[in-house]
Amino acid sequence: MKFRSKRWSMLCAGLLIGLTGLGIWAMRNDDKYFEIIKSLDIYASVLRDLNTYYVDSLSPFALMRTSVDAMTNSLDPYTTFYTQENLGDLTFQTTGKYGGTGIAIRRDDDHVIIFDVLQDSPAGLAGLRPGDRIERIDDKDVDSLSEDAVSDLLRGEPGTTVVLGIYRPYLQQRFTVKLIRAEVGLSSVPYAFRLQDGTGYIRLQQFTEGCSLQVKRALDSLKSLPGGIQGLILDLRGNPGGLLEEAVKTANLFVDPGQTIVSLRGRVQAWNQIYRTTERADDDTIPLAILINHQSASAAEILAGALQDLDRAVIIGQRSYGKGLVQTTHDLPYDTRIKITTARYYTPSGRCIQAITYAHQGDFLQQNFIPDSLRQTYTTAHGRIVKGGGGIEPDVPVRTEHVSEIAQDLLIHHMIFDYATRYFYEHPKPASPDDFMFTDQDYTSFLNFLEEKHYHFQSDASQLLAQFTDQVQQEGWWEQLRQQTDSLRRALAEIEARQLLTHRKEIMQLLKAEIADRYWPQQGEWLVALQTDEAIRRTRHILHDTKMYRSLLSSTTAQHASVR
């Protein structure tokens, strides 16, 4: 202990001497560099004294991590420090790949439940299914472990083995499965198919490494079908972004060489860059529509904004998230890394679509949305008016579909998931998603299932009424308000009891989609959802109406058109 303490003191002393020397140099060169050295000197002294004198033993690395996280969190939500242990998270964000088994889990009371399995993964190839319960991992009981701890046990270097103890509730089966971990990847293009009217559809869910090639292959495959496709829907809804270069390459599939797609401007002038298309377009004439929503962000907005500014695609859906900041990663000592916001990006018309400004008020980070009144206007290639700040606004807005409170509650309490698991084991697989029907009889079976599970829906209004009742009793007003409160409680109970029938159609669609995902993993849920998707319906109508499509891309009055 004495040796370690002495060595720590020597290290800190050496650091302080070095910092002092650098401080003298910095004073002669630049006041800001002096501030950096001064701050490092203070920081090293604080860390040294805490380690030496604090009443309990401390981890210097943990203290450092806390301080660095506080620094990055004070800047914006995207500047992030990565330790050696969580570098895999950064790799997964950029490549969509990780070493593991292909299992996604959740906790349910005292159990660990598999809620999704990638079909080409070790777990999928071994026959594991959603609804299976993991009881042991390598002879370690997992019921008392957190989700993160279980996920850490499942992940590992490709080629290593892991043994899982599984219980399949609806068949009352217990078995053991040995998995060899592999590099597991989430496809950036999970769905690509031709709709019945000849419209092509490609779902792009994240801009990971190589995703532009996946889009190209999907497009070429659709065009090679007998009769080809008469238009294309590129669905970016829920796409959080990813690699900027992949967004540029994807845009190049639809735009000929030499077109500006995005430009970066930051404090370091040498890093400013303009990204242009360099290859011949795969198809620069096919009618193209891009779907976006509030969760479409970053690289998804780069692609949508560029094709909107170039009047190459009609943008349909809801206003996008509004992330116009660019991050770059830098290696740090001891296998650590930092991701830093280094620039803002600008679409071809010159607009930055960042929706939030970050500013410091004393020691606090303020996040302010840019009001519509301060958003600047720009023009597209054909003279259409578009706005900067606040995300990408669609050319054709489609309202967000409302999810009822009862539907949300059923999803939160996993009633939809659990019933789908039972249904899967009790019914044979239909021939195709188009042949799959969820009947009124099936819905009655679902209602019986809820009774078995003792499910009771309590609305937010009921919970607020309960809080109101408690407050009234504390104030001593209960006797005066008892009659009115009891009457309101009974009325709410009657309304809540009718919710399963009032929202029957919506709940049946959720059940159908969840069950379809069991029969056709990673595709069934989406295929069923598209059957009633209002944005898809409107988009198909636009792509097949040549006059309307051209007018949306050429007329300044086409902004925010209403299509029915």
Side-chain angles (χ1 to χ4, degrees), residues 499-531:
Q499 292 304 291
L500 287 167
L501 296 179
T502 301
H503 298 283
R504 175 192 188 105
K505 182 178 179 180
E506 175 191 13
I507 297 169
M508 286 182 71
Q509 185 64 21
L510 290 173
L511 286 164
K512 184 178 180 182
E514 183 67 33
I515 294 168
D517 197 54
R518 305 304 172 87
Y519 290 128
W520 303 278
Q522 279 83 61
Q523 288 192 353
E525 181 177 9
W526 201 255
L527 289 169
V528 167
L530 290 181
Q531 295 173 2

Side-chain angles (χ1 to χ4, degrees), residues 296-521:
S296 305
S298 191
E301 295 174 293
I302 290 176
L303 177 59
L307 296 185
Q308 184 180 51
D309 283 0
L310 297 173
D311 293 308
R312 178 61 188 88
V314 174
I315 312 301
I316 299 173
Q318 297 97 42
R319 185 190 293 189
S320 64
Y321 182 83
K323 180 180 180 291
L325 302 177
V326 179
Q327 289 74 44
T328 56
T329 59
H330 301 266
D331 292 334
L332 298 175
Y334 301 101
D335 293 325
T336 59
R337 194 173 295 176
I338 189 167
K339 183 174 68 174
I340 304 175
T341 298
T342 54
R344 293 179 176 86
Y345 71 75
Y346 297 81
T347 65
S349 65
R351 54 181 170 148
C352 177
I353 52 82
Q354 177 66 21
I356 301 175
T357 60
Y358 301 99
H360 288 84
Q361 186 70 31
D363 294 331
F364 298 98
L365 176 68
Q366 285 190 332
Q367 302 184 25
N368 302 307
F369 281 91
I370 300 173
D372 285 346
S373 59
L374 297 181
R375 297 176 66 198
Q376 296 183 348
T377 59
Y378 301 83
T379 56
T380 69
H382 293 164
R384 295 187 301 143
I385 301 297
V386 290
K387 288 186 176 183
I392 301 296
E393 288 190 76
D395 303 310
V396 181
V398 178
R399 288 186 299 177
T400 305
E401 293 185 12
H402 174 71
V403 180
S404 65
E405 190 179 352
I406 179 70
Q408 294 179 48
D409 196 68
L410 290 168
L411 291 167
I412 290 170
H413 290 91
H414 310 299
M415 293 295 110
I416 303 286
F417 179 92
D418 290 345
Y419 181 77
T421 302
R422 172 188 283 189
Y423 189 100
F424 172 79
Y425 287 113
E426 292 180 349
H427 296 79
K429 181 178 179 178
S432 71
D434 291 335
D435 296 323
F436 175 43
M437 302 293 293
F438 191 79
T439 65
D440 290 340
Q441 184 179 354
D442 292 326
Y443 192 71
T444 300
S445 171
F446 173 66
L447 298 179
N448 294 334
F449 172 82
L450 295 180
E451 289 186 12
E452 293 175 22
K453 294 290 186 178
H454 306 291
Y455 171 77
H456 173 69
F457 171 59
Q458 185 181 32
S459 65
D460 290 342
S462 286
Q463 296 177 38
L464 289 172
L465 181 60
Q467 296 174 18
F468 170 78
T469 301
D470 290 342
Q471 187 65 36
V472 165
Q473 291 174 340
Q474 291 178 25
E475 298 293 340
W477 304 333
W478 177 241
E479 291 305 322
Q480 298 100 302
L481 297 173
R482 179 198 296 269
Q483 184 175 355
Q484 296 95 321
T485 304
D486 286 345
S487 176
L488 185 57
R489 183 182 294 109
R490 287 192 297 270
L492 276 173
E494 292 177 3
I495 293 172
E496 290 170 348
R498 295 196 298 268
Q499 292 304 291
L500 287 167
L501 296 179
T502 301
H503 298 283
R504 175 192 188 105
K505 182 178 179 180
E506 175 191 13
I507 297 169
M508 286 182 71
Q509 185 64 21
L510 290 173
L511 286 164
K512 184 178 180 182
E514 183 67 33
I515 294 168
D517 197 54
R518 305 304 172 87
Y519 290 128
W520 303 278

